[in-house]
Structure formats: C-alpha cells, structure tokens
Amino acid sequence: MQSYVIEGGRKLEGEVYISGSKNASLPIIAGSILNGNISKLYNVPNIHDTQITLKILKLLGCKVKKNGKKIEINSKYINKKEIPEDLMRQMRSTVIMAGAIIGRFKEATFSYPGGCEIGARPIDLHLSAFKKLGINIEENSGFIRCSCDKIVGANINLDFPSVGATENIILATVLAEGITTISNAAMEPEIEDLANYLNKMGAKIEGAGTNFIKITGVKKLKEVSYKVMPDRIEAGTFLCAGAITGGNIELKEVIPEHITPALHKLQEAGCNIEIENRSIKLQAPKKLKAIDIKTMPYPGFPTDLQSIFGAVLATCKGTSTIVENIFENRYKYLYELQRMGAKITIEGKMAVIKGVRKLSATSVNSTDLRGGAALVLAGLSAKGTTKVENIEYILRGYEKFEEKLQKLGARIYIKNN
Ligand code: UD1
C-alpha cells in the first residue's frame, strides 16, 4: 500500500508533457492480436493497465518487446484463447480483448468482469452485439465462452453509445465476412485512434469518430507501426491542477480539440486559455468562479473529468452543480472531499458544491482512479499536509504523476505505508 504526501498551497508553474492515452492504448494493444504479425506501438504509457494488458498478451502466446514507450508485439504464435480470470478481475477493460480473440480465432473464453468502484458496468451491449454477429455465447459459473464457425457482418444499433462495446464490435468484425454497421456508436477520439491503427494494418473501417461506423471485413491484415494519441484525460487533469492552485502552466503534446468541453468550462470559471497547435497554456485567476457540469458521451463533457473538476469546484466562488449521467457510483470521492472541509450535498445524479475559501489538509482515501487524482488536486490546493491513501488506483492510469507534478513545483512524495 502506498500513499501520496502533499504539502499544499503552492502555485503550479511550468510545462508538462502529456503521455499517450491509456484508453486508446488498451484497445490498440488488444488489436495487435488480429494481424498475426508484428505491431510496433509508440507513445504507450507505462502504467499498470497497459502492463496488465501486455501480460495477458504474453500469456496468450504473443512475443512482447518493450523499450520505454515503444512496444513491439508479435501475435503470430498465440496458442491460448482464454483470458486468465485473475487478470480479468484486475482490470475491467480486458473485456475488449475478447473481441480481438474471437475476431481472429472464432473462439474466446473470459470471466465475467463484475462490478467496479464507479458502477455496475454490465457487458450486455457487448454480448448482444456478438450474438448478432453469429457468435454463440455460453455462460457458466461466471465464465463466458464465445464460439462460432464464422463471424458474419450485421447491422448493430447500440441502445447506448458504449465506448467498450463499440471497440469490441470493431475488433470482432475487422476480419469478418461481409459488412458490419454500428449505429449510435460511441464517438470518442480513442475509437478513431483504434480505427486509424487497424486501417493502417489493412482493415476497412469508415466513420469512426461519428455515430455511424461501417466495417467491411478483410481477409488478411499486415505488420504495422502506430503512434498512440495523447491522453485527453491526463491533459484535463493537469489543466485542473493548474487551475486549482492559481497557477500558470503549459501542456505540450496535446490535441486541444479533444478537450473542448473542459477548456470551455475552465474559461467560464475565469481561466485564461491560449491554444497553439499541440500546446495549451492556462493561467488561473486568484479566485475561480462557480460553474455547472453535466457529463455526456463524447463530444459532451467527459465523465472521466467529472471528479477532477469536482475537486476544483470545491473552492470556486459561489455554488456549482454536477450531474453525472454516465456512471451511477462516481461520487465516492466527494465524501472524501467533505472530510477536507468541502461543502457538498449529493442527491441521486446531482451534486451541489458550495465553494469554500480553502480546503483543509487531512488523510483521505482514493476511491477510484479519477477520484484519487481529484483528491491529489485537492491536496495541492489545501493548506498543510494532505495524505492520499491507496494510490494504487491512481497509478493504474497516470504515468509518472508525482514526477510531472513535482516538475511544476508541487511538493508531493510517495510514502510506502
Ligand atoms: C470507457 C473508458 C472509461 C470512460 C467510459 C465512458 C476505457 C478503458 N474506459 O469505459 O474511462 O469513463 O468509457 O466514457 O476506455 N454499459 C451498459 N452495458 C454495456 C456497456 C456499458 O449498460 O454493455 C453502461 C455502463 O455501465 C456505463 C455506460 O454504459 O454506465 C458507459 O459505459 P462505456 O461507454 O461502455 O464505458 P467503458 O467502455 O466501460
């Protein structure tokens, strides 16, 4: 068990380089199963979740070479089609590997991912899409076995634009017979990144990034090299770290259009934002103004930044509101913020946050990946020494988090409990 110890109250200043996207890397690494060949991937963040995904690939029989942010995967020699249960439980998003394994081998076994910290997260949309593609699904004591003689393209309409289900359908149908369409598809940039990668290896995917995607099955895929897009959620997190500390920071290697809603909200709160190609400069005012946030599927305000903004709103002038529309259990961190003196009431999907002048430092507990990062931001702005416990959650998704914050002038250290 590790904790962060943060001496708060310092303005963050300087430049920070944004890492490759966690949520794009995971399906892209899974996609390397499909070509039965080499994938050279660049800009993959070295974090717990990518390490687990690579561990699964090795267990399936892939050869994996890692050199910093560059990873070379050779999927020619895969000899297992089962995702190990213990690894499946460590990371929910391993479910997207199922689509890639079935897509190539027409069979896959994995365990039911179950609930997680931020909600029930069922996979009914994934499974009903698989059935539409002619895949048989047998469920037995928590295990799901998928098999078929061939995958045949179909027209799939998603009841909700699920990111994971959209990715899983793409991965399962790139090598299918005929044409698959997905209507009400998720439009997140990570899906476009996955499609660009697969197209570079010879797939035929059109419309990724819109709500209608067409996949024309191809017979064979080839060797590929690909650079993963920057992490828009990490970018939003650092902008908020700048904002909450009254700082002045510059993000490098970021795609500004990917975080348009967050940029607008920060401007509304009083921050000055300057955008230039792949850089964003943020200058925060002495006191931020209250704002209202509603999470929505892309291009709406991302649920993954809801908690991060929640920390910022705790010290804004006036009363802010948050409505969380994507996950039903994403407010746990707010109870920890209350322990730091935040004035918050929660009713169902809505949280009302009355800004206080300063948060007070104390020991708090990370509740999930983004909730944990939110508490770090709260600690950076609070007066005194804050301890954020259970940072394993945070390390799942942020590369060199404390190092990057230290470079911006934060006093934050890891403590082994
Ligand atoms: C992905 C992201 C996660 C982000 C989320 C929403 C990755 C690895 N994770 O998660 O960081 O917060 O998108 O932007 O990319 N749902 C169902 N049935 C299904 C699938 C989903 O009811 O079969 C529900 C979920 O419970 C949730 C909502 O749909 O309430 C959104 O889930 P989804 O878009 O699938 O998110 P993930 O792909 O799990």
Side-chain angles (χ1 to χ4, degrees):
M1 293 275 241
Q2 292 183 309
S3 310
Y4 278 137
V5 175
I6 305 160
E7 288 168 30
R10 296 169 63 85
K11 274 187 187 185
L12 297 196
E13 276 168 337
E15 289 175 3
V16 58
Y17 280 82
I18 298 306
S19 295
S21 160
K22 165 178 99 67
N23 287 354
S25 294
L26 302 178
I28 285 176
I29 295 174
S32 72
I33 292 172
L34 287 169
N35 63 355
N37 206 317
I38 290 171
S39 292
K40 289 180 189 155
L41 303 178
Y42 300 88
N43 207 28
V44 176
N46 188 15
I47 47 176
H48 173 271
D49 279 11
T50 53
Q51 286 157 8
I52 295 286
T53 316
L54 291 170
K55 203 166 168 185
I56 295 174
L57 285 193
K58 281 192 206 162
L59 288 170
L60 296 177
C62 290
K63 292 203 163 68
V64 178
K65 284 191 220 158
K66 211 163 163 242
N67 185 358
K69 289 173 192 290
K70 180 186 162 190
I71 292 170
E72 189 176 308
I73 302 162
N74 184 346
S75 61
K76 191 169 176 190
Y77 304 103
I78 292 183
N79 51 17
K80 286 205 186 82
K81 286 109 199 175
E82 184 173 331
I83 306 175
E85 190 188 1
D86 57 324
L87 297 177
M88 185 92 197
R89 297 217 181 276
Q90 279 190 46
M91 205 184 79
R92 269 196 53 87
S93 38
T94 44
V95 73
I96 43 163
M97 300 188 92
I101 303 174
I102 303 162
R104 175 151 165 220
F105 297 105
K106 316 293 172 263
E107 62 170 287
T109 304
F110 53 102
S111 58
Y112 210 83
C116 76
E117 322 84 42
I118 59 173
R121 298 180 94 172
I123 54 164
D124 54 315
L125 300 173
H126 303 236
L127 297 182
S128 65
F130 282 176
K131 280 185 194 152
K132 266 209 128 173
L133 295 167
I135 299 167
N136 300 313
I137 294 168
E138 290 163 54
E139 289 187 49
N140 200 346
S141 347
F143 281 89
I144 301 171
R145 191 180 134 67
C146 299
S147 60
C148 59
D149 295 331
K150 57 182 182 182
I151 297 177
V152 183
N155 297 325
I156 297 166
N157 177 68
L158 291 175
D159 290 342
F160 180 87
S162 153
V163 175
T166 304
E167 291 166 347
N168 234 339
I169 298 166
I170 293 175
L171 290 164
T173 56
V174 155
L175 290 168
E177 269 185 23
I179 292 174
T180 300
T181 62
I182 315 172
S183 44
N184 199 27
M187 301 197 283
E188 270 68 1
E190 291 77 10
I191 290 169
E192 211 177 334
D193 213 38
L194 171 67
N196 288 342
Y197 160 67
L198 294 171
N199 283 343
K200 210 170 167 204
M201 65 159 82
K204 209 166 168 235
I205 304 162
E206 295 160 89
T210 74
N211 65 359
F212 186 82
I213 301 177
K214 180 178 167 194
I215 305 122
T216 307
V218 297
K219 292 243 172 321
K220 217 174 148 35
L221 297 164
K222 56 179 194 274
E223 181 175 333
V224 65
S225 41
Y226 192 77
K227 185 175 175 194
V228 173
M229 65 176 249
D231 196 307
R232 63 192 169 103
I233 306 303
E234 189 200 17
T237 305
F238 277 100
L239 287 175
C240 286
I244 200 171
T245 59
N248 189 351
I249 66 165
E250 179 173 2
L251 306 189
K252 297 275 199 186
E253 289 302 317
V254 62
I255 300 179
E257 313 77 89
H258 286 174
I259 49 169
T260 302
L263 292 177
H264 278 282
K265 287 295 166 189
L266 286 167
Q267 275 171 329
E268 213 180 304
C271 294
N272 184 35
I273 307 256
E274 275 176 48
I275 298 173
E276 207 176 287
N277 300 325
R278 289 170 76 90
S279 123
I280 301 175
K281 286 184 186 157
L282 172 139
Q283 187 160 24
K286 273 215 171 80
K287 194 75 194 159
L288 293 161
K289 290 179 278 193
I291 49 172
D292 298 319
I293 282 170
K294 273 194 186 96
T295 65
M296 298 291 275
Y298 193 85
F301 188 93
T303 173
D304 286 348
L305 286 180
Q306 181 261 106
S307 343
I308 308 294
F309 270 72
V312 177
L313 302 186
T315 56
C316 282
K317 191 172 178 344
T319 301
S320 305
T321 60
I322 302 180
V323 180
E324 171 56 60
N325 288 310
I326 310 294
F327 288 107
E328 70 277 16
N329 199 10
R330 217 168 189 178
Y331 281 152
K332 283 189 192 163
Y333 75 100
L334 289 177
Y335 296 102
E336 298 298 302
L337 279 181
Q338 281 175 336
R339 301 187 50 241
M340 296 179 78
K343 289 210 159 49
I344 301 166
T345 48
I346 302 166
E347 215 164 283
K349 284 179 166 191
M350 186 185 257
V352 178
I353 305 181
K354 232 176 172 180
V356 294
R357 214 177 61 77
K358 269 257 169 249
L359 291 172
S360 28
T362 183
S363 271
V364 283
N365 217 339
S366 291
T367 49
D368 58 81
L369 165 59
R370 307 300 170 187
L375 296 174
V376 169
L377 265 55
L380 292 172
S381 84
K383 210 168 171 202
T385 305
T386 298
K387 190 174 176 197
V388 179
E389 293 180 342
N390 283 330
I391 62 167
E392 290 71 21
Y393 281 121
I394 304 173
L395 302 177
R396 279 182 44 190
Y398 288 92
E399 187 177 50
K400 298 185 177 166
F401 195 37
E402 68 286 351
E403 241 176 75
K404 289 185 180 186
L405 288 168
Q406 281 162 2
K407 278 197 187 133
L408 292 170
R411 294 219 169 118
I412 173 168
Y413 316 97
I414 289 194
K415 184 167 182 278
N416 294 309
N417 294 359

